Amino acid sequence: MSGTVEHYQGLAQNLIETLGVEQALHVAQQYAWYGVVEEIYRLSGETGHMVH
């Protein structure tokens, strides 16, 4: 499982660096990458988000 989390973290970080937080969230949500969405929120310091 930790390999999956590390993958999500790496993908989230790359998306943020390449696209910025808002676009990274949009892309991750569009592809239903919910683990990546959570990591983007965590990395960006956003609070109050819940995956549906």
Side-chain angles (χ1 to χ4, degrees), residues 5-22:
V5 171
E6 290 171 1
H7 178 73
Y8 290 162
Q9 289 170 343
L11 185 51
Q13 188 64 45
N14 285 338
L15 286 171
I16 291 169
E17 289 174 3
T18 304
L19 303 173
V21 173
E22 287 186 29

